Amino acid sequence: MKVHKATVAAAAALALSLTAAGCGDDNKDDTGSGGKKITVGIKFDQPGIGLKTPDGKYTGFDVDVATYVAKQLGHKAGDIQWKEAKSADRETLLQRGDVDFIAASYSITPTRSEKVDFAGPYLLAHQDVLLRADDDTIKQPADLNDKKLCSVTGSTSAQNVKTKIAPNAQLQQYGGYSECLTGLENKVVDALTTDDSILAGYAAQSQFKGKFKLGGFKMSNENYGIGVQKGSALKAQINTALEKMVSDGSWDAAVKKNFGPANYHNEPAPKIGVVVSS
């Protein structure tokens, strides 16, 4: 009887070890890095900022910043699991713990700072408009009144225009900037508004060259921050990583790589912890 019990115990132990081994295989990094996974929220539809390409790769300034930060936190590029972070979903993703941090053209605002914490800022952009190249009716922000203006649900740009710049603009809010771009190209809307960095990325795409132009309006200051859960220790760690990125030249290299083709005149790297008011 004792031998039988020992045999059963041994079999149980073997089964547990096999189960554990199976679980380990499920969590193994399929890229071969073998490191600890980290989930990062980015935009999937913003050329030059955060874009998921048809072949499944991820490109853009935010992607490069997030990859650098993740490396400083101890993660290889292959350890990163990219998750789409649409403008209206960003606070929810962080609050639910669906992502470790978000780098998705995420402007630091008092309202958002009540719900999440921000590291940075790591880029100072300005709100602008994208127009059709042959449009000569919108020469200043006030000309947006009575025009069909497109932006993305949940973005600060849409509300900024409506409350401060052109209260009579006919605001159309879509789920993504690519939808606005299609509307602009097809003359369903007259202008697309968001940050100049994002607009420059669109204008630089080969299929759109010559079709659009930037208005050149600096209608606001947009301080891009990296969002983390409220009270997270990651904020300080990410700030340290961003400071290193600027000091070792990686920040300048990422700007040139992602915005250079659009002849985008970026502001110098902002000082960490200093938010420039509009």
Side-chain angles (χ1 to χ4, degrees):
M1 190 68 179
K2 288 182 180 178
V3 173
H4 176 67
K5 284 184 177 179
T7 304
V8 171
L14 178 60
L16 283 171
S17 66
L18 290 173
T19 301
C23 290
D25 288 341
D26 289 341
N27 292 327
K28 187 177 180 181
D29 184 1
D30 57 10
T31 64
S33 70
K36 183 180 178 183
K37 290 291 189 182
I38 185 170
T39 304
V40 179
I42 57 169
K43 289 294 179 66
F44 278 14
D45 65 343
Q46 292 180 353
I49 298 288
L51 181 69
K52 182 178 182 180
T53 60
D55 58 359
K57 294 180 181 179
Y58 301 91
T59 65
F61 182 70
D62 282 351
V63 175
D64 289 344
V65 170
T67 301
Y68 185 98
V69 167
K71 183 179 179 181
Q72 296 303 309
L73 295 176
H75 304 276
K76 297 178 182 179
D79 299 329
I80 302 173
Q81 293 179 315
W82 300 107
K83 188 175 183 66
E84 185 173 20
K86 293 183 178 180
S87 295
D89 300 334
R90 291 175 294 200
E91 285 84 44
T92 302
L93 289 171
L94 287 168
Q95 291 172 331
R96 286 195 315 218
D98 293 341
V99 293
D100 293 289
F101 67 81
I102 289 179
S105 55
Y106 202 1
S107 297
I108 302 171
T109 69
T111 301
R112 290 172 178 166
S113 296
E114 291 175 1
K115 300 176 182 178
V116 301
D117 282 344
F118 285 99
Y122 63 92
L123 182 72
L124 177 60
H126 303 286
Q127 185 177 349
D128 201 352
V129 293
L130 192 67
L131 309 168
R132 286 184 292 276
D134 59 357
D135 188 326
D136 59 359
T137 64
I138 302 174
K139 299 178 180 178
Q140 57 185 345
D143 293 336
L144 294 169
N145 281 305
D146 299 320
K147 297 290 187 180
K148 292 178 181 176
L149 179 68
C150 191
S151 194
V152 170
T153 304
S155 73
T156 55
S157 300
Q159 297 309 317
N160 189 48
V161 169
K162 195 67 180 171
T163 58
K164 300 178 183 178
I165 297 167
N168 293 325
Q170 300 173 38
L171 193 58
Q172 318 261 331
Q173 298 189 67
Y174 293 167
Y177 290 108
S178 9
E179 296 172 50
C180 282
L181 197 69
T182 300
L184 181 61
E185 186 176 18
N186 296 332
K187 299 186 177 181
V188 176
V189 296
D190 301 304
L192 159 57
T193 185
T194 186
D195 307 342
D196 51 8
S197 54
I198 298 171
L199 297 175
Y202 280 122
Q205 288 186 289
S206 57
Q207 68 267 38
F208 295 131
K209 281 185 179 178
K211 292 185 177 181
F212 304 118
K213 62 182 179 183
L214 286 166
F217 312 148
K218 291 187 176 183
M219 297 185 285
S220 71
N221 292 322
E222 303 297 335
N223 299 265
Y224 286 5
I226 293 182
V228 297
Q229 271 192 341
K230 202 74 176 170
S232 173
L234 275 180
K235 176 180 176 179
Q237 296 173 39
I238 293 173
N239 277 337
T240 299
L242 291 173
E243 288 171 347
K244 184 177 180 182
M245 187 178 189
V246 172
S247 65
D248 69 11
S250 298
W251 188 90
D252 283 324
V255 168
K256 184 177 181 180
K257 170 188 170 185
N258 292 290
F259 300 131
N263 199 28
Y264 170 64
H265 301 291
N266 64 284
E267 299 280 2
K271 186 176 180 180
I272 302 300
V274 178
V275 175
V276 180
S277 60
S278 295

